[in-house]
Amino acid sequence: MRRGDMAARLRRDGGWWALLLPAFLLLSVFYITPILQVLAISFTEPEPGLGNYQRIATNLSVQRVIWTTLRICTITTALALMLGYGLAYAITLASEQARRWWLLCVLVPLWISVLVRAFAWVTLLRRQGLINQTLQGAGIIAEPLQLVWNEFGIIVGMVHYMVPYAVLPMLAAMREIEPRLLAAARGLGASRGQVFRQVFFPLSAPGLVAAGVLVFIFSLGFYITPAILGGGRTLMVAEWISLQILDLIRWGLGTMMATLLVVTILVTLAVFSRVVNMRRLFGGA
Amino acid sequence: MSATLGTGSLELRGLAKRYGEFVAVQGADLMIAAGSFLTLLGPSGSGKTTILMMIAGFTEPTAGRLLLGGGDITALPPEKRAFGMVFQGYALFPHMTVAENVAFPLRVRGIGRAARDTRVRATLDLVQLSGFADRRPAQLSGGQQQRVALARALVFDPALLLLDEPLSALDKKLRAELQEELRALHRRVGRTFINVTHDQEEALSLSDEVAVLNHGRIVQKGAPAMLYEHPRTRFVAGFLGKSNFLHGVVQGDGTVQCGPWRLHHAAPPAPGTAVLLSLRPEKIALGQAGDNAIEGRVLSSAYLGAGHAVVLDTPIGPIRVHQPAWRAAVDPAIGTTISMAWAADAATIVEDDDAPG
Amino acid sequence: MDGIYRPGWVGRALGWGTALYLVLPLFIILPVSVTDQRFLSLPHEGISLRHYAALFAAPDWFASIAQSFWIACASTVLAVGTGTLFAIACWRLNRRSTELLRALMLLPLIVPSIVYAIGLYRYFGWWDLLDRFAGVVIAHGVTGIPYVVITVSTALASFDPRLEQAARGMGASLRQVLAWVILPRIMPGIVSGAIFAFIHSWDELVIVLFIASRDVFTLPRRIWDGINENQDPIMAAVAVLLIGFTTLLLVVDMALRRKRDT
């Protein structure tokens, strides 16, 4: 009876399972396999063992790049959350008409090429850039400021990239807050600050955490913006890996760092999946 | 031009469905004659929709078999059974016109455009929607959508038409109209109709036969009048219409001792038996003589146009009486004590299962 | 919320400030692109379209644009074809195992491109797919699937599953249900997914840096070299055109969504 059931179920649903196959095969052969290979190489080259991982404890360059990355990512996440929260708050409380324009301010930067955005910041921030020229022309500064090709430039560019990613989950959480609650709290005698602290903020907190997780894990492996705005002087993990593989041909060290990066991201997600609804974060059905 | 399967009676043999620990349907046995109109009636959660979904093939039974004209169809997927079905909420394709919706079953069978158009037109005529062929479902009223769903289910001449709460989304007046139409349609097409509803009036007025369900079990099956007049259990009596329930014990002389009264009953069981009598409110006459006559004080009285709904306080608890206005012999003013009476064959002895939900 | 409760001045200032921070740097490129100077700067004497003219006269820029366009088209077809069927099957089967598969399919959004890029660098060496059109299409196609899966899943969430049952019950085969009932209903979601998969491939740089070198030289790759090597105002012209193109695609997507919602 049980086996008959199984056969009947397979006959019934077999067609649907077949529809899963093309995407699944493509992902397995051309995505999962190359990535698993990266993980494997970190244990096998230059010689089998944990040699590459011992470098975390001994190698100063490895330690410096990890430290730099964590520091920049933390600052970026904090700033992106602060700015994004303000923007999401304004969008949530805006009228239907205004909301469309606010949303466009978030979505257009989100989808415009990261290269174009980094290029815009270079144009603005470099020594002969628009900001330095304007300030010098106005006589405010005598010497051009060093605004780019350092950590400051990286953070300005990264926060610019990450704010839209921070806004979207927070907006989703804030849109669910019943507006009459806020009006009711005001009506009950709460000041504007009290309404925000005691009603709005606690209700929007899950969105804040989700946004924080999203921005932090995206920042960790970020390549293009730090590479362009850091000018090769401040290295973050992704550019460092690229350097190991393409220029120094040190596959073992590069893949070790890549493995560390993936593990850090997956662990962060796993830890926060208890707090944050990940399915919603990535558009669940 | 018949459906893919032979016609004939549909038989459920011990059909059961469990979801883990939860038993949705337990061992349903049912024989549905070809061409009849059967209604599965029960409160929500009684398993009626699960049975319909198992007949349609969308839900796999955990145990039991399903036979059509003697052939086993238990393992057949829904598209091979090809029963006509009217879904709850109709499930019309919103991106297709009325005609395209109705043509869909013909299109999937590879029937040519010309033959398709003829059949679609004839079927739309059948449900009186000839002028609406090019509308979209969203542009139709609830009643019209319901007819499109019917036309779509009937257009390929299926052996069996399954209706899942077909009238529940409509208002009361429209519902009554469509009940009559559905009944006429059944006579015209001569196919087996299986209907699911929680509305007892709809079940009584539409069907040749009604199967009453409770807690996943078929409690009683029969013609509407038979079920109403001779409910087998307290649940059936209470779910189909209203009823007074009187506890009593059969005496040596064949009367039933009920509180202070000895009541006459047409067919009493052996003396000493404890019985539960079901007595319909409309079978009690106020201020008249009869086999059983008792007195009560009027607790409440509501005028309903066609009659009065009166509740009387008696030593065996409150008793409801339904009195046609034209026959009102006494004025049931609150607080007055009046007499009431009923015939010896008016009450039915029922099994005491749980109270209706 | 429509004016029931308005933000105070702190909230308003922070909101406006952030919006300007997001948008202004992008607008700065427009005057820079019409500068009359030979280097990146605001126009001095007057505006000039010489850098746009130079862009359209440069065959290598044009070749890169064409190549990026065809790669984006091909990888979009790959991502939409497989991703749509995948999302539909997950939606229909709807059990724990398919939920897990769906989560797996989102990996390319979570794992940094740099990790995938170095993996492909070695892996494609074996397959002889380095510096090949097909190689880039496969890489962009696979990483584009999550966008399609997300938008199609979202479209399916508002799809009444009884429509599929109704079609099945009337004798429709799987292919007929797909072609006549499901696909027409979720078309806006599929188009959305296609737009995002296209933009993803069109802008993708990190993977291309590793698996392509000479024969495949996409637009982002050329811009990257441009930013790193010279400060030619042609770059500003390219950037303006890209911003215009992306905004156009987004407006199309927004219009489609509005149509779907009404």
Side-chain angles (χ1 to χ4, degrees), chain A residues 260-281:
Chain A
L260 198 62
L261 180 58
V262 172
V263 169
T264 308
I265 288 173
L266 292 182
V267 166
T268 308
L269 274 177
V271 167
F272 281 94
S273 66
R274 291 164 192 280
V275 190
V276 182
N277 186 346
M278 289 299 155
R279 280 187 58 195
R280 224 175 94 189
L281 203 53

Side-chain angles (χ1 to χ4, degrees), chain A residues 31 214 217-218 221 261-262 265-266 269 278 282, chain C residues 103-113 146:
Chain A
Y31 193 84
L214 194 68
I217 64 172
F218 279 5
L261 180 58
V262 172
I265 288 173
L266 292 182
L269 274 177
M278 289 299 155
F282 293 104
Chain C
L104 200 69
M105 206 52 73
L106 300 182
L107 267 184
L109 291 183
I110 299 164
V111 175
S113 324

Side-chain angles (χ1 to χ4, degrees), chain A residues 57-77:
Chain A
T58 57
N59 189 317
L60 272 181
S61 150
V62 171
Q63 286 170 355
R64 196 170 57 234
V65 72
I66 292 175
W67 171 236
T68 307
T69 305
L70 287 178
R71 186 177 61 235
I72 292 180
C73 288
T74 309
I75 298 172
T76 300
T77 307

Side-chain angles (χ1 to χ4, degrees), chain B residues 307-331:
Chain B
H308 295 276
V310 186
V311 181
L312 296 121
D313 187 31
T314 73
I316 52 169
I319 287 188
R320 297 163 175 282
V321 178
H322 217 284
Q323 194 73 357
W326 60 270
R327 212 171 72 181
V330 291
D331 176 26

Side-chain angles (χ1 to χ4, degrees), chain B residues 58 79 83 87-88 91-96 105 107-109, chain C residues 162-163 165-172 176 180-181 184-185:
Chain B
F58 295 123
E79 65 269 25
F83 296 156
F87 284 78
Q88 198 170 6
L92 298 177
F93 302 125
H95 59 296
M96 298 183 192
R107 205 167 135 209
V108 300
R109 285 170 177 70
Chain C
R162 277 175 312 183
L163 295 183
Q165 281 193 340
R168 273 291 166 94
M170 285 181 280
Q176 289 169 328
W180 294 344
V181 180
R185 281 301 286 164

Side-chain angles (χ1 to χ4, degrees), chain A residues 82-155:
Chain A
M82 193 185 80
L83 297 181
Y85 194 94
L87 189 51
Y89 182 70
I91 295 177
T92 307
L93 297 186
S95 70
E96 195 71 43
Q97 207 61 37
R99 191 178 300 138
R100 237 170 245 154
W101 289 101
W102 283 107
L103 271 177
L104 217 61
C105 288
V106 176
L107 290 179
V108 168
L110 178 69
W111 284 103
I112 282 182
S113 163
V114 57
L115 273 169
V116 169
R117 282 187 274 169
F119 169 74
W121 282 112
V122 171
T123 311
L124 280 169
L125 299 179
R126 68 201 176 96
R127 276 181 82 80
Q128 306 83 25
L130 298 181
I131 290 181
N132 272 323
Q133 281 186 347
T134 312
L135 292 180
Q136 279 176 305
I140 297 172
I141 52 169
E143 283 295 301
L145 299 171
Q146 186 63 39
L147 298 172
V148 76
W149 295 309
N150 55 15
E151 237 174 89
F152 175 80
I154 293 182
I155 288 172

